[in-house]
Amino acid sequence: MDRIRRNERMTAMMKLLSGTPNRIFTLNSFCELFGTAKSTMSEDVDLLQQVSKAFDLGEVETVTGAAGGVRYRPTVSREKARVTIGDLCEKLSGTERVLPGGFLYYSDILSTPEIVNRMGEIIATEYYDTQPDFVLTMETKGIPVAFATANALGVPLVIARHSSRVYEGSAVNINYVSGSGSIETMSLSRRAVKENQQALIVDDFLKGGGTAGGMVELMREFNVKVVGMAFVMATATPEKKRISGEKALMTLEVTNDETPVAVVRPAEWLR
Amino acid sequence: MDRIRRNERMTAMMKLLSGTPNRIFTLNSFCELFGTAKSTMSEDVDLLQQVSKAFDLGEVETVTGAAGGVRYRPTVSREKARVTIGDLCEKLSGTERVLPGGFLYYSDILSTPEIVNRMGEIIATEYYDTQPDFVLTMETKGIPVAFATANALGVPLVIARHSSRVYEGSAVNINYVSGSGSIETMSLSRRAVKENQQALIVDDFLKGGGTAGGMVELMREFNVKVVGMAFVMATATPEKKRISGEKALMTLEVTNDETPVAVVRPAEWLR
């Protein structure tokens, strides 16, 4: 390839940066890749920042210091988050998705990549500052959105299980009281987490907070600090959960009518 | 913003296209976004194709016809796939990750976004031509890589469960014989899948093929055609699996030494 032009460099950089969110790339690595001077690269990065801002495509940031360089974060503006979640609420509200027992069917939403990635980015935007070392979820339904959040944050996902598995090695088990009042077990491989790390809890559904409380307790066993808790959906009742400080994207109420109606609304901070 | 320059347009397009893989964007939508003529946009797209090729960043493709436009596929060249999987094999081989019973610990690998996304892209590259409507996996460990594959293919993920759940609505249950010889249940919500769709099965581990066979049978119940099967890891023995036509990324052998050693190698098609 001949001399590489600015539009080529910028396009390739945007792809590389946004393909590995929140990872710092040194300016030198780009200089080597493109055979350009550092001053030229700095100009390219300035332009990347401007484009990202102009088209609301997340943030390109320069990080100074010894471990400095450039990174991309798929941050979502509050305005854009409101639209995304508002649309989702409309889709989920009504009678069609209500199941016997007043449950809501939304497993399809929880595993459609386009929707899941946007939800993960909205959650990550709220928690970049808390600098979690990993995202923790409890199997099964929350795994895709927890993974998307971990991806946006550039950290690993850790999955707690209902029981310990032979292929996970030795594990820490705790018992917790679930929403329905029964005693359940939660298990996590000893190898999954290191002491003094920071965890962001992400799950699909929050009702009483039993499972979330279990995850908090599990992290205590590992000497890990929980820096935040985020949920896709929280029920309007009970209003008082067993945990506090959490953020949900949507709230759910199902009416007691003969034909029950689901009323799904953006959480208060997104209204 | 003033007149939008080519480098700005190309950067924004690359971000938008690669952020939603395999989705077709009409040229018109980009013309409107940037306020440019169609001829200019075509030139931009040509340049995007060249950059993607030059830096091995996947493929930008123009699709002709009524539903035509531009799409991005994060295809991975065979050469790059070999390096990625080769590195992974090196990381997994040895004595450290072997658990009692000859199992291999690699849950961390299966939920590190950077690694999982690359594996998903390598799998998707092999199956774009088969045009699956969704990716199917069985809970739990394979969910992240199945999700990453679904993301690269631009299709939903469908998760089969060990038992039917009240919040999934009515479900189809089948029984299958697991690798250990016990009878297990596999359950999938009726709402999750439509008749005559095409499924790509993705899972983390293949030993005898019991679970995979169960998924094939489950799809038969839904009148869905299985167009492919991909696994992160397949055991070297038994050589004969209950399914056929599958692709694995790596093969695993654990020696019978006093201190057992894991020998992880790229699958034959990746050597």
Side-chain angles (χ1 to χ4, degrees), chain A residues 14-15 18-19, chain B residues 13-21 25 72 74 151:
Chain A
M14 189 53 149
K15 172 68 188 80
S18 65
Chain B
M13 280 169 78
M14 188 54 149
K15 172 68 188 79
L16 292 168
L17 288 168
S18 66
T20 320
F25 290 69
Y72 170 81
N151 183 44

Side-chain angles (χ1 to χ4, degrees), chain A residues 73 124-132 153:
Chain A
R73 288 178 168 179
T125 300
E126 298 301 309
Y127 291 100
Y128 277 116
D129 289 344
T130 65
Q131 303 191 305
L153 290 166

Side-chain angles (χ1 to χ4, degrees), chain A residues 2-17:
Chain A
D2 301 327
R3 199 177 140 271
I4 299 159
R5 280 172 296 186
R6 166 151 286 155
N7 60 41
E8 296 168 326
R9 291 195 305 268
M10 283 177 62
T11 307
M13 279 169 80
M14 189 53 149
K15 172 68 188 80
L16 292 168
L17 288 168

Side-chain angles (χ1 to χ4, degrees), chain A residues 1 4-12 14-16 18-20 23 33-34 47-48 50-51 54-55 57 72 96-100 103-108 110-114 116-118 121 139-141 143-144 147-148 150-151 154-159 161-162 165-170 189 191-192, chain B residues 1 4-12 14-16 18-20 23 33-34 47-48 50-51 54-55 57 72 96-100 103-108 110-114 116-118 121 139-141 143-144 147-148 150-151 154-159 161-162 165-170 189 191-192:
Chain A
M1 202 173 176
I4 299 159
R5 280 172 296 186
R6 166 151 286 155
N7 60 41
E8 296 168 326
R9 291 195 305 268
M10 283 177 62
T11 307
M14 189 53 149
K15 172 68 188 80
L16 292 168
S18 65
T20 319
R23 190 173 90 181
L33 179 62
F34 302 121
L47 284 169
L48 278 183
Q50 289 170 29
V51 183
F55 293 100
L57 298 174
Y72 170 81
E96 270 184 30
R97 288 176 168 270
V98 180
L99 300 169
F103 292 92
L104 185 76
Y105 180 77
Y106 68 117
S107 296
D108 54 339
L110 289 173
S111 58
T112 298
E114 218 176 318
V116 170
N117 288 335
R118 292 303 91 75
E121 287 164 6
E139 63 181 348
T140 295
K141 277 174 70 192
I143 295 176
F147 178 77
N151 183 44
V155 300
L157 169 67
V158 170
I159 302 170
R161 312 286 301 255
H162 286 293
R165 302 288 172 144
V166 63
Y167 44 75
E168 301 271 13
S170 73
S189 166
R191 294 176 184 233
Chain B
M1 203 174 176
I4 300 159
R5 279 171 297 189
R6 167 153 284 158
N7 60 41
E8 295 167 326
R9 291 195 305 267
M10 283 178 61
T11 308
M14 188 54 149
K15 172 68 188 79
L16 292 168
S18 66
T20 320
R23 190 172 90 180
L33 179 62
F34 301 121
L47 285 168
L48 278 182
Q50 289 171 29
V51 183
F55 294 100
L57 299 174
Y72 170 81
E96 270 183 31
R97 287 175 170 270
V98 181
L99 300 169
F103 292 91
L104 184 75
Y105 180 78
Y106 68 117
S107 296
D108 54 338
L110 288 173
S111 58
T112 299
E114 218 176 316
V116 169
N117 288 335
R118 292 301 92 75
E121 288 164 5
E139 63 181 347
T140 295
K141 276 174 74 191
I143 296 175
F147 178 76
N151 183 44
V155 301
L157 169 67
V158 170
I159 302 171
R161 311 285 302 256
H162 286 292
R165 303 288 172 146
V166 63
Y167 44 76
E168 302 271 15
S170 74
S189 167
R191 295 178 183 233

Side-chain angles (χ1 to χ4, degrees), chain B residues 63-190:
Chain B
V63 183
T64 52
V70 200
R71 74 171 165 223
Y72 170 81
R73 288 179 168 179
T75 50
V76 182
S77 64
R78 193 55 66 90
E79 193 190 331
K80 209 170 173 179
R82 275 198 194 103
V83 174
T84 304
I85 301 301
D87 287 352
L88 213 48
C89 289
E90 226 168 272
K91 200 169 171 178
L92 293 174
S93 293
T95 57
E96 270 183 31
R97 287 175 170 270
V98 181
L99 300 169
F103 292 91
L104 184 75
Y105 180 78
Y106 68 117
S107 296
D108 54 338
I109 298 291
L110 288 173
S111 58
T112 299
E114 218 176 316
I115 299 172
V116 169
N117 288 335
R118 292 301 92 75
M119 294 195 294
E121 288 164 5
I122 291 170
I123 295 172
T125 300
E126 298 301 308
Y127 291 100
Y128 277 115
D129 289 344
T130 66
Q131 303 191 304
D133 296 300
F134 62 89
V135 170
L136 175 73
T137 194
M138 173 74 181
E139 63 181 347
T140 295
K141 276 174 74 191
I143 296 175
V145 69
F147 178 76
T149 308
N151 183 44
L153 290 166
V155 301
L157 169 67
V158 170
I159 302 171
R161 311 285 302 256
H162 286 292
S163 58
S164 53
R165 303 288 172 146
V166 63
Y167 44 76
E168 302 271 15
S170 74
V172 173
N173 291 333
I174 63 149
N175 295 312
Y176 67 98
V177 182
S178 82
S180 59
S182 61
I183 306 285
E184 310 234 358
T185 304
M186 191 179 285
S187 172
L188 185 60
S189 167
R190 281 197 182 283

